[in-house]
Amino acid sequence: MAATLHDDWPRHVLDVAGPLPDSLPDRLRVLAQRLRLDVAELHRADPAARALLPERWARHFRVLPLAATEAEIVLASADPLDLECERTLAFATGRSVRFALAEPGELARAVADAYGSALGAAELPEAARDVQILSTEQEGAPPVLGDDDGGRVTRLVDDLLADGVAAGASDVHIEPEEQGIAVRHRIDGVLRHVRTLPRGVARSLVSRIKIVSGLDIADRLRPQDGRARVAVNGAAVDLRVSTLPASRGEKVVIRILDRRSALRALDAMGFHPDEYARIDALLACREGLILVTGPTGSGKTTTLYAALQRLQERSLNIVTVEDPIEYRIPGIVQVQVHERAGLTFASALRSIMRQDPDVILVGEIRDRETAEIAIQASLTGHIVLSTLHTNDAASAVTRLADFGVAPYKIATAVKGVVAQRLVRQLCECARADGPSSARAGVPAVAEPAPCRVCGGERYHGRLAIVEVLAASPEFERRVAAGDPVERLAQAAREAGMRSLWESGMTHVRQGSTTLEELRRVAAPPPPRKLKEPRAARAPRATPGSAVSDSPISVDVGTVECYVIHPHPDGWRVLMLQRADDTIRPGSWEAVTGSIDDGERPEQAAPREVREETGLVVDRLYCVSVQPFYLPRRSSIQMSVVFAGFVDEPGDVVLSHEHQRFEWMSVEAAIERSTWPRAGRTIGDIVHLLGPQNIGRVDDVLRIR
């Protein structure tokens, strides 16, 4: 940039403008007219526009941001003919540049006032943070990019990495689009658009990233994977880089592996106490296979590494085989899979078995050979940890069977399965203060407000919801028999396993997350349907009677449970109003539901209460059996009626089948009941189980 003379404009600007008045105000006005520019109003500079331009560039080119939109930035300059300044700052801000003319002396003072007279560490803009490359995955990678246009591409890559680390992003997506290069951060599992770069920088930007990660910059037609370690503000951060050729250029995804936030203790994962106790009990096993399942990005690796750190406390020899090694843990031998060199999961496992290990971690079981060796290792006195991609815990067993592993080996080897998802955690600024919602039964959420922690997103951080399947004798028997996944899941539930939805609802009731966020990552239980009637023998025809082609069957298929809280001022009965999009919309009823295959009515009733309301029954009584006829099915259905008492009512969390609930007096519940039979049943419960009669019928009607 040309130097100014005596606080005057650059010589080449004056030469273009021609003769000018002597006074500075007149000279500024006339010069702006001849150059067809606006006069800069330095006192009206917008701080938001200043935040878009790093300080080092504002000082280098002697410009001051005045205003900005999504497409344009207005800069005060004494040299509006500087094409290098225009091109560079358009690239840096992702916007077209429009100049406004300013007097050099006034502009210098305005820049100093806006950015300060010194560069303190606390005043450095986000883009000026220090990023150093420590190492790349491949040796012999090209050391420099070549023509980096003065190092601006290098600084841009540094800025992108520093911004991603500072924002707590797990991934940085760089995607070529028609309008430019979109930069997105994945924060707490959700993609957020950060900025748009000019399309002209795409090739240099991707090449610089490839150099950082040790990839081939000349190969733009094939996907590539690389790795690098960089220091951001002095802290080492590992990067996993993936490139993918696309229609508008190469897409780049940078996985940020920051061990400061990723390596957690097992008790810091956000598990509920009972879930943590079940996982801890699995790790206490002396041998066996423990699996962690879930989709990509569900925190499986973090959970496994937390388990390894817990096992380290027992002074065990721990060896891992991974592809790739995401985090390096001191005191643990970690083996990187290298398939081109013949070092596969299976071959590495064979060698590890000769290294006298106590604990073996297999990054992922992908084929039959790896599955067979892992199970064999677990049967010979080793603890084996690994991952599978399945939707739930019980499906992990069937996946191993699909690999060709014998069911009896699976039954003996598998000690437990943890199915995991991650839900976003409510920020402190959005924590609920009000009462529970009558419709959804969840804490009310405050209106979004600006927050330094979450940036107005209402969520900050994530916590785990899990299914913890611990092998029981009945579960092992069903696995060895080759039972389907539904029966395996039933055995696991009978042994105390909670579903992902139930685990998440516990967090919802505590106000840690929202029902909407839970629905985003976990599916609610499907609405239960009445079972198809069992086949029955056709009735004999009698003289004068007409016999239908479809015989009538009798089936015990449903349960009803009237939930009662023995309040000191009188019993309170929980009544539920059905949602508008269900059968019998708007009607008031007790808890109703179907009996699952292999389930007894006294098991189905408390389960339905827990799933429909979130309450746990303390005492259960069988009151009666009610028949009703289903002509379309030619079936007489028998409904077993129960009374369930809850000493502490707690918070009611409704399922999607109901829209309201009320704790009513006995009289109000009888009056509100849609079906007359329900009112009579409430009266029978009061007559049988009231305080005056409880002694003589308790031993007859009480189930538990």
Side-chain angles (χ1 to χ4, degrees):
M1 183 173 179
T4 60
L5 300 176
H6 306 294
D7 271 351
D8 215 337
W9 285 273
R11 179 64 63 186
H12 60 269
V13 174
L14 299 177
D15 292 342
V16 171
L20 294 171
D22 293 332
S23 66
L24 285 179
D26 293 339
R27 178 175 294 192
L28 175 62
R29 177 179 51 79
V30 173
L31 183 56
Q33 291 176 351
R34 292 180 181 177
L35 295 176
R36 298 182 179 180
L37 297 174
D38 295 329
V39 175
E41 298 180 5
L42 300 177
H43 63 284
R44 301 184 63 181
D46 186 0
R50 186 171 69 246
L52 297 174
L53 188 65
E55 178 180 353
R56 62 176 181 271
W57 288 337
R59 291 183 181 275
H60 176 76
F61 290 109
R62 300 179 186 176
V63 296
L64 179 67
L66 300 177
T69 65
E70 289 294 328
E72 182 184 65
I73 185 169
V74 181
L75 301 176
S77 174
D79 187 1
L81 303 181
D82 189 349
L83 298 181
E84 180 186 1
C85 171
E86 181 179 1
R87 183 174 63 252
T88 301
L89 299 188
F91 162 74
T93 61
R95 294 165 171 79
S96 62
V97 172
R98 179 164 63 88
F99 286 117
L101 192 63
E103 189 271 322
E106 292 294 331
L107 178 60
R109 287 186 285 273
V111 171
D113 292 340
Y115 289 100
S117 58
L119 290 176
E123 299 173 344
L124 283 174
E126 294 293 321
R129 287 171 292 192
D130 178 45
V131 178
Q132 296 178 346
I133 302 172
L134 301 180
S135 64
T136 60
E137 185 180 58
Q138 301 178 8
E139 296 181 358
V144 294
L145 179 61
D147 183 12
D148 190 8
D149 195 17
R152 284 187 292 273
V153 174
T154 300
R155 292 194 295 270
L156 175 62
V157 173
D158 293 349
D159 295 344
L160 295 179
L161 296 178
D163 289 344
V165 173
S170 61
D171 301 87
V172 176
H173 291 242
I174 301 173
E175 303 173 357
E177 297 180 345
E178 186 174 354
Q179 293 79 13
I181 308 300
V183 180
R184 297 182 174 93
H185 289 168
R186 185 175 294 279
I187 301 176
D188 294 335
V190 178
L191 276 177
R192 303 178 187 175
H193 183 84
V194 178
R195 61 194 294 189
T196 300
L197 303 175
R199 284 190 55 84
V201 74
R203 183 179 293 267
S204 298
L205 178 63
V206 174
S207 295
R208 176 60 188 172
I209 294 173
K210 285 183 175 181
I211 287 173
V212 169
S213 54
L215 301 180
D216 185 358
I217 64 174
D219 190 351
R220 301 181 180 274
L221 301 179
R222 292 185 302 173
Q224 297 187 62
D225 296 301
R227 188 183 185 101
R229 172 170 289 188
V230 300
V232 179
N233 292 334
V237 176
D238 290 321
L239 307 176
R240 282 170 51 191
V241 179
S242 174
T243 66
L244 179 69
S247 59
R248 293 190 174 93
E250 289 183 278
K251 175 184 176 179
V252 180
V253 176
I254 304 173
R255 170 68 61 88
I256 299 175
L257 305 173
D258 191 350
R259 59 179 295 127
R260 295 172 299 176
S261 58
L263 290 182
R264 303 182 182 180
L266 193 63
D267 55 1
M269 294 290 295
F271 300 129
H272 289 292
D274 58 332
E275 296 167 349
Y276 173 77
R278 290 171 65 85
I279 295 174
D280 196 41
L282 291 178
L283 297 178
C285 296
R286 298 299 174 183
E287 60 183 19
L289 178 61
I290 301 173
L291 298 171
V292 180
T293 73
T296 302
S298 60
K300 300 188 299 295
T301 301
T302 302
T303 299
L304 282 178
Y305 281 3
L308 289 183
Q309 294 181 88
R310 184 58 178 269
L311 291 171
Q312 269 188 305
E313 299 174 2
R314 291 160 49 183
S315 300
L316 301 175
N317 179 20
I318 303 176
V319 184
T320 75
V321 51
E322 306 171 62
D323 184 24
I325 299 173
E326 295 196 0
Y327 303 101
R328 291 173 173 83
I329 306 177
I332 294 179
V333 177
Q334 296 174 270
V335 179
Q336 169 69 54
V337 168
H338 200 305
E339 295 190 357
R340 291 184 180 179
L343 184 60
T344 63
F345 279 109
S347 62
L349 273 175
R350 292 192 189 94
S351 299
I352 289 172
M353 292 293 291
R354 295 189 287 270
Q355 295 287 318
D356 187 32
D358 298 306
V359 179
I360 303 172
L361 184 145
V362 183
E364 182 182 354
I365 296 178
R366 300 177 179 176
D367 51 44
R368 176 177 181 176
E369 187 178 14
T370 305
E372 289 278 9
I373 299 174
I375 287 183
Q376 187 62 35
S378 68
L379 294 175
T380 54
H382 305 86
I383 301 175
V384 180
L385 308 177
S386 189
T387 67
L388 281 175
H389 289 281
T390 61
N391 292 328
D392 54 32
S395 298
V397 173
T398 58
R399 178 63 56 85
L400 292 175
D402 291 341
F403 285 145
V405 181
Y408 72 90
K409 289 185 177 180
I410 301 174
T412 307
V414 175
K415 299 303 180 184
V417 184
V418 178
Q420 180 168 314
R421 301 291 189 277
L422 296 177
V423 295
R424 291 183 294 171
Q425 188 172 6
L426 274 175
C427 181
E428 290 296 332
C429 69
R431 292 284 183 173
D433 294 324
S436 299
S437 166
R439 177 178 176 85
V442 298
V445 178
E447 291 295 326
C451 174
R452 293 183 178 180
V453 177
C454 67
E457 295 289 335
R458 298 197 310 146
Y459 297 98
H460 177 68
R462 290 189 288 179
L463 46 84
I465 60 174
V466 291
E467 285 181 350
V468 185
L469 187 159
S472 63
E474 177 63 18
F475 176 81
E476 293 177 0
R477 186 189 65 78
R478 295 187 183 187
V479 171
D483 283 6
V485 66
E486 293 81 8
R487 286 185 55 79
L488 300 181
Q490 180 186 1
R493 287 195 297 268
E494 292 174 355
M497 182 188 77
R498 288 193 304 192
S499 67
L500 289 169
W501 180 263
E502 292 173 323
S503 176
M505 286 303 298
T506 308
H507 287 292
V508 171
R509 287 192 290 269
Q510 292 178 346
S512 300
T513 187
T514 62
L515 189 59
E516 292 76 12
E517 174 64 13
L518 177 59
R519 284 175 173 156
R520 185 180 68 86
V521 299
R528 298 185 177 275
K529 299 180 180 179
L530 292 175
K531 293 173 15 180
E532 292 294 332
R534 293 191 294 265
R537 187 172 56 186
R540 293 182 179 180
T542 58
S545 66
V547 180
S548 171
D549 293 336
S550 301
I552 297 177
S553 65
V554 179
D555 188 27
V556 180
T558 62
V559 293
E560 299 177 42
C561 190
Y562 292 81
V563 181
I564 299 172
H565 171 48
H567 194 273
D569 296 334
W571 281 6
R572 298 291 186 266
V573 183
L574 180 64
M575 299 296 290
L576 311 177
Q577 186 181 43
R578 296 196 64 85
D580 295 335
D581 56 351
T582 63
I583 60 173
R584 308 187 304 276
S587 62
W588 289 88
E589 63 182 11
V591 174
T592 61
S594 300
I595 303 174
D596 288 343
D597 291 335
E599 192 176 37
R600 297 179 62 85
E602 61 267 27
Q603 296 171 330
R607 174 185 54 75
E608 286 288 344
V609 171
R610 185 176 65 253
E611 293 179 355
E612 294 293 329
T613 68
L615 300 177
V616 177
V617 173
D618 298 313
R619 289 169 287 132
L620 185 68
Y621 297 85
C622 182
V623 178
S624 65
V625 178
Q626 300 283 355
F628 56 94
Y629 178 50
L630 297 178
R632 293 184 179 180
R633 298 186 179 184
S634 297
S635 170
I636 295 177
Q637 289 281 311
M638 308 298 292
S639 179
V640 185
V641 182
F642 294 90
F645 286 78
V646 291
D647 294 332
E648 295 295 335
D651 293 331
V652 177
V653 181
L654 296 180
S655 72
H656 62 280
E657 295 184 7
H658 299 96
Q659 59 184 347
R660 289 183 58 197
F661 71 87
E662 286 188 27
W663 288 100
M664 303 181 183
S665 65
V666 171
E667 295 77 12
I670 294 175
E671 181 180 356
R672 188 71 63 89
S673 297
T674 302
W675 303 98
R677 177 177 60 81
R680 291 193 296 270
T681 300
I682 296 174
D684 291 342
I685 293 173
V686 175
H687 177 75
L688 292 171
L689 303 177
Q692 68 277 14
N693 296 330
I694 193 66
R696 70 171 184 261
V697 300
D698 186 85
D699 57 340
V700 177
L701 302 181
R702 186 163 180 172
I703 303 297
R704 67 176 192 183

